[in-house]
C-alpha cells in the first residue's frame, strides 16, 4: 500500500496499481543506475587512456632532459 498526502488530501494506491507504480519506480532507478555506471566506466577508460599516453611521454622528456642537461 502506498499512501501519498498532498495538500491535506490522502491518496492510497493499492492492488495492481501499486504493483505498476513500484515496477515503474524500480525500472527508473535501474535505468538511472545504469547511466551512472556507464558514465563512471567511460570516465575510468578515458582517464586510463590519457595516463597511458602522458606517463611514458613525461618519462621520455625527463630522460632526454637529463641526457642534454649540463652538469
Amino acid at each position: 500500500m502506498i499512501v501519498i498526502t498532498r495538500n491535506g488530501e490522502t491518496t492510497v494506491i493499492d492492488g495492481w496499481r501499486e504493483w505498476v507504480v513500484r515496477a515503474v519506480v524500480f525500472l527508473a532507478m535501474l535505468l538511472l543506475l545504469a547511466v551512472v555506471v556507464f558514465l563512471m566506466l567511460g570516465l575510468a577508460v578515458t582517464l586510463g587512456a590519457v595516463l597511458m599516453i602522458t606517463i611514458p611521454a613525461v618519462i621520455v622528456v625527463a630522460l632526454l632532459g637529463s641526457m642534454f642537461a649540463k652538469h
Side-chain angles (χ1 to χ4, degrees):
M1 180 185 314
I2 300 174
V3 179
I4 302 170
T5 303
R6 187 175 32 184
N7 295 333
E9 292 184 20
T10 301
T11 304
V12 177
I13 301 173
D14 58 354
W16 66 270
R17 289 181 182 92
E18 177 189 6
W19 286 99
V20 170
V21 169
R22 289 184 187 269
V24 168
V25 169
F26 177 74
L27 290 176
M29 288 292 115
L30 198 61
L31 181 65
L32 181 64
L33 179 65
V35 167
V36 170
V37 166
F38 284 123
L39 284 174
M40 291 298 119
L41 184 62
L43 182 66
V45 168
T46 302
L47 188 61
V50 167
L51 289 175
M52 286 178 66
I53 293 171
T54 56
I55 290 175
V58 168
I59 291 172
V60 167
V61 167
L63 287 174
L64 288 175
S66 68
M67 283 175 36
F68 293 113
K70 293 183 180 180
H71 296 316

